């Protein structure tokens, strides 16, 4: 109702998020040396979702805190 076009903003945020994910995918093989099919398994997919749920979905700091907490507890 304020005159903003939410579709444009949503598309812009989607494109920015896709670029960040693409950069992460581009640098991962350089970090590890190779990419294994194991990375596309159930464990890694659910771990990312659990990290976001533990930290909270309301802000950017929440999932980052959840990732830190799960990584800390896992060790």
């Amino acid at each position: 109702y304020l005159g903003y076009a939410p579709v444009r903003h949503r598309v812009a945020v989607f494109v920015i998020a896709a670029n960040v994910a693409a950069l992460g995918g581009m640098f991962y093989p350089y970090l590890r040396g190779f990419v294994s099919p194991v990375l596309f398994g159930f464990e890694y997919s659910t771990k990312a979702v659990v990290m976001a749920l533990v930290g909270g979905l309301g802000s950017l700091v929440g999932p980052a805190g959840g990732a830190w907490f799960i990584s800390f507890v896992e060790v």
Side-chain angles (χ1 to χ4, degrees):
Y1 298 115
L2 296 175
Y4 296 113
V7 174
R8 262 191 261 155
H9 295 301
R10 288 181 184 171
V11 169
V13 168
F14 180 78
V15 168
I16 291 169
N19 284 324
V20 169
L23 282 172
M26 183 179 75
F27 288 128
Y28 187 79
Y30 293 116
L31 177 68
R32 298 290 181 205
F34 73 101
V35 178
S36 172
V38 175
L39 295 174
F40 300 107
F42 181 74
E43 179 185 355
Y44 290 105
S45 300
T46 54
K47 186 187 274 186
V49 173
V50 169
M51 287 177 178
L53 290 176
V54 166
L57 300 173
S59 69
L60 183 64
V61 177
W68 179 83
F69 179 75
I70 294 293
S71 298
F72 181 72
V73 169
E74 198 174 50
V75 173

